[in-house]
Amino acid sequence: MLAVEAAMRSYAARLGEDPELWGLAGLLHDWDWEIHPTLESHPRDGAPRLRELGCPEPVVQAILAHNEAGTGVAADSRLDFGLRACDEITGLVIAAALVRPTKDVRDVEVRSIQKRWKEKAFAAGVDRTEVERATADFSRVAFGGALALPEHIGQVLSAMQGAAAALDLDGRLARPA
Ligand SMILES: [Fe+2]
Ligand SMILES: [Fe+2]
């Protein structure tokens, strides 16, 4: 969620949107997963609590729309599509950092992620088709179709590199405790 927050903040800055709002959507989108660990209940059953706590409605909407299959809430705004586009791709970047001996996201290159795109065992939980679809949708809604996948990977990667320490991906996992 910290990785998605970093990615969302960077896109908000690029698009002239509110980085706090976009960052919050990234940070909170899976907050209830351990309470509601099924695609039918997450994040549907967590949304009322977010509202109770005063979470801004656009953020609640984006969180609901990140699992349209479970909530029936379709993505509508740039924020909604941005969250979808940033969600799973962060998993690929994390995997790419963890397979490096240095375990440092700052050593990851866009090229290395692209090379492993078709490798099924690499970040096996990340559905490539879904990432491509979410990227294309976000591109259409926020960039007039001009955001290509390698550029998206690059934007998310550099946002995560800027948050390397918060993500524990600054090399500390490669050093003996
Ligand atoms: Fe989720
Ligand atoms: Fe997620």
Side-chain angles (χ1 to χ4, degrees), residues 25-151:
L27 183 65
L28 293 179
H29 79 281
D30 279 337
W31 81 275
D32 71 333
W33 179 250
E34 288 176 3
I35 312 169
H36 309 123
T38 68
L39 290 174
E40 292 70 44
S41 57
H42 156 78
R44 191 194 62 200
D45 295 349
R49 183 68 183 137
L50 289 177
R51 291 198 176 101
E52 242 169 62
L53 291 168
C55 184
E57 191 56 29
V59 172
V60 178
Q61 281 305 312
I63 291 174
L64 285 168
H66 98 272
N67 178 19
E68 182 178 352
T71 61
V73 176
D76 182 41
S77 66
R78 303 209 289 186
L79 172 59
D80 301 348
F81 284 103
L83 180 58
R84 282 190 186 177
C86 291
D87 189 4
E88 296 208 46
I89 190 107
T90 51
L92 276 169
V93 177
I94 291 167
L98 291 177
V99 297
R100 296 198 68 87
T102 59
K103 313 244 185 267
D104 192 325
V105 72
R106 292 165 298 191
D107 295 334
V108 175
E109 293 170 23
V110 173
R111 214 158 27 95
S112 51
I113 296 172
Q114 285 183 289
K115 259 195 271 171
R116 305 191 95 118
W117 198 261
K118 291 203 155 65
E119 208 179 293
K120 284 207 174 70
F122 175 75
V126 177
D127 181 344
R128 312 312 201 246
T129 319
E130 170 55 29
V131 174
E132 286 164 5
R133 203 179 51 82
T135 306
D137 286 346
F138 183 41
S139 174
R140 181 173 39 78
V141 169
F143 295 95
L147 181 74
L149 184 60
E151 191 190 345

